[in-house]
Amino acid sequence: MEALHHTRSVTLPTGPRSAAVAGDPPDPHRWSSSVVLGVLVAAAGMAGSMALFPLLRPLPHPYWWIPDDVWLNLVAGHYVANGALPLIYESGMLGQSKLFVAGPLLPVLLAPVALISTHFHLSESYPLTIPKPSAWPVYGTYGLLLCSIPLLYATRSLAWELGIRRRPWVIQASAIALVLVPVGVMYGHYEDVLALAFVVLGVRDALRDEPIRAGLRFGVAVAFKQWALLGVPILVARAPAGSRLRTLWASIALPGGFAALALATDWPQASHALLWPPSFPRYGHAALWVSHTAQIVTTSPFRLLAFVVAFGLAFDIRRRRDPAALLAALGVAFLVRLAVEPVVYGYYLAPALALLLLHEATTTGGVRWTPLLGVAALASFALYPPLALWWMGLALLCACVAAPAVRTLVAGPGSAARLRAVRASAAEGGIARARRSRP
């Protein structure tokens, strides 16, 4: 029995669990670390908003620092709480432009907060700005916890699946710096964080050779935020030939069903929000081809160009099974979005940075350059030099952070050899530690 146990413990994986050693237990701290770090992120974010920021403002008119975009989802949440889910795109308007253009899932999850706010007559900072809206302590805490814990769990779970056993908390800390702080705390886009969490979980399922489940995860991500659609062609291309159509249907069934319901129920409002979403150059960094006098730009025609790149990447990796290729293709696809958008905002970078972070961890066994370059790229959105100079700096930073992923894609299937060596070394180290720990 001793010999049999020893033989089973050194067997390397050949099946769906791509990077784990056979018989390797799941990460025992994947939930505890995610909950603890998520609570810390929420506590720090709310303390900064309600305690630190007022101290930095001159009296006599202190106010809480609250992202402007955060209230749009809660307004839509009131529609859901009142039983008007298909009509949520009537919420949030600026003149004739629709401001709420995301998927329906976050408003659904915010319906309890909307009910609490209504029941206790809490004030909200929309459409009029209120210095200290009484709904914010409930809404802000709930929103940060809601998005932080799933993302931290997803990144650590995928890192474990990729065979990263040494200091997995570093991956979570990097996710906090690259995603949770800029997207969740600074912009208040909880739906983007949740969409990214389900994309990461979908990648984990794809690496386990569970394409249908991966497609369902991507469908949930798209129902949070539509940018996740860029990953669907890549996910479908990586699926086994016999399950690609089912993977595609799994990816689009949920968001497609809701879009059809909203368009059929409220075509005038839903069509503008879903088919012709607006963007506002004065609130972000406009592309060089956008007129400096433009107030509103329609984004759909430009976003279609990103799908051309996504389909090209899907064709490139259709026969590759190594995790690095999948992560590289998704990271590059999400990053290319910045090149085709008429107006870009800092939170657009987060999905690409998260996937490129995991690509670096997979190919090198650690992370260093992606967090450093990613934070620099995110910080550049706070600067407003001449527009051409700003775009040159951002392009340089993005090129540097994406270079390893591009090399993985260009190198072809042979680039997986180094990754297999890294896994084998990690497996041998784990086996050696297990032997030493035996009584």
Side-chain angles (χ1 to χ4, degrees):
M1 292 297 294
E2 181 74 18
L4 177 60
H5 177 76
H6 174 69
T7 301
R8 293 183 62 188
S9 69
V10 298
T11 303
L12 292 179
T14 57
R17 297 189 67 83
S18 58
V21 179
D24 204 17
D27 180 6
H29 304 297
R30 61 191 185 279
W31 276 115
S32 59
S33 65
S34 302
V35 171
V36 170
L37 290 174
V39 170
L40 290 176
V41 169
M46 295 306 294
S49 170
M50 300 173 60
L52 179 61
F53 186 81
L55 293 177
L56 302 177
R57 302 297 298 176
L59 297 175
H61 300 295
Y63 58 92
W64 293 336
W65 184 87
I66 304 173
D68 293 333
D69 291 351
V70 80
W71 296 106
L72 298 175
N73 285 305
L74 186 57
V75 174
H78 281 285
Y79 277 70
V80 177
N82 292 327
L85 174 62
L87 305 178
I88 61 174
Y89 293 108
E90 290 183 357
S91 65
M93 294 189 68
L94 180 63
Q96 297 300 313
S97 298
K98 309 305 298 178
L99 293 181
F100 178 73
V101 296
L105 285 191
L106 183 59
V108 169
L109 295 178
L110 293 181
V113 178
L115 289 172
I116 292 172
S117 179
T118 300
H119 180 76
F120 290 100
H121 305 288
L122 304 180
S123 59
E124 300 173 14
S125 191
Y126 185 90
L128 299 177
T129 300
I130 299 175
K132 294 183 177 181
S134 56
W136 177 239
V138 178
Y139 177 28
T141 304
Y142 176 83
L144 286 175
L145 289 173
L146 180 68
C147 69
S148 298
I149 295 174
L151 179 69
L152 292 169
Y153 169 80
T155 52
R156 180 162 180 142
S157 180
L158 179 54
W160 193 269
E161 187 72 22
L162 293 167
I164 299 170
R165 301 291 186 268
R166 184 182 179 187
R167 296 185 297 178
W169 61 267
V170 174
I171 302 293
Q172 294 177 303
S174 299
I176 292 173
L178 297 176
V179 181
L180 287 177
V181 170
V183 183
V185 176
M186 302 300 294
Y187 280 96
H189 278 238
Y190 308 139
E191 72 279 11
D192 284 277
V193 180
L194 285 164
L196 179 56
F198 277 91
V199 165
V200 173
L201 290 174
V203 172
R204 184 197 64 181
D205 291 332
L207 297 181
R208 292 176 173 178
D209 286 342
E210 298 176 348
I212 308 304
R213 180 177 292 184
L216 291 172
R217 305 267 197 193
F218 268 69
V220 173
V222 176
F224 276 114
K225 204 60 179 288
Q226 295 89 329
W227 56 257
L229 273 171
L230 286 173
V232 171
I234 297 169
L235 180 71
V236 171
R238 193 190 184 278
S243 61
R244 286 174 179 168
L245 184 59
R246 287 178 295 164
T247 302
L248 175 62
W249 280 115
S251 302
I252 64 175
L254 177 63
F258 172 78
L261 175 64
L263 291 170
T265 305
D266 189 19
W267 173 263
Q269 309 295 337
S271 62
H272 281 285
L274 293 175
L275 304 179
W276 305 102
S279 194
F280 305 91
R282 65 181 180 273
Y283 296 129
H285 289 79
L288 296 177
W289 64 82
V290 173
S291 171
H292 68 279
T293 61
Q295 299 297 312
I296 300 175
V297 182
T298 299
T299 58
S300 295
F302 304 100
R303 289 175 176 175
L304 292 176
L305 297 174
F307 280 96
V308 176
V309 177
F311 279 105
L313 292 167
F315 181 81
D316 180 63
I317 70 160
R318 68 194 185 282
R319 293 189 179 94
R320 298 182 61 173
R321 310 303 298 166
D322 52 306
L326 177 59
L327 293 168
L330 289 171
V332 172
F334 293 145
L335 191 62
V336 166
R337 178 189 174 195
L338 275 73
V340 301
E341 288 279 353
V343 184
V344 296
Y345 307 89
Y347 62 90
Y348 285 9
L349 268 174
L353 293 177
L355 274 298
L356 294 173
L357 172 77
L358 290 162
H359 174 268
E360 181 185 4
T362 302
T363 53
T364 67
V367 293
R368 182 173 59 175
W369 292 110
T370 303
L372 181 63
L373 295 171
V375 168
L378 289 166
S380 71
F381 280 84
L383 306 176
Y384 290 88
L387 195 57
L389 182 62
W390 182 85
W391 272 107
M392 289 175 59
L394 181 66
L396 178 61
L397 288 170
C398 289
C400 292
V401 78
V406 173
R407 285 197 297 269
T408 295
L409 296 171
V410 171
S415 62
R418 181 180 178 185
L419 178 59
R420 288 195 296 268
V422 171
R423 289 182 191 163
S425 177
E428 291 174 1
I431 293 167
R433 288 192 295 272
R435 287 177 179 172
R436 289 196 297 267
S437 64
R438 289 179 184 173

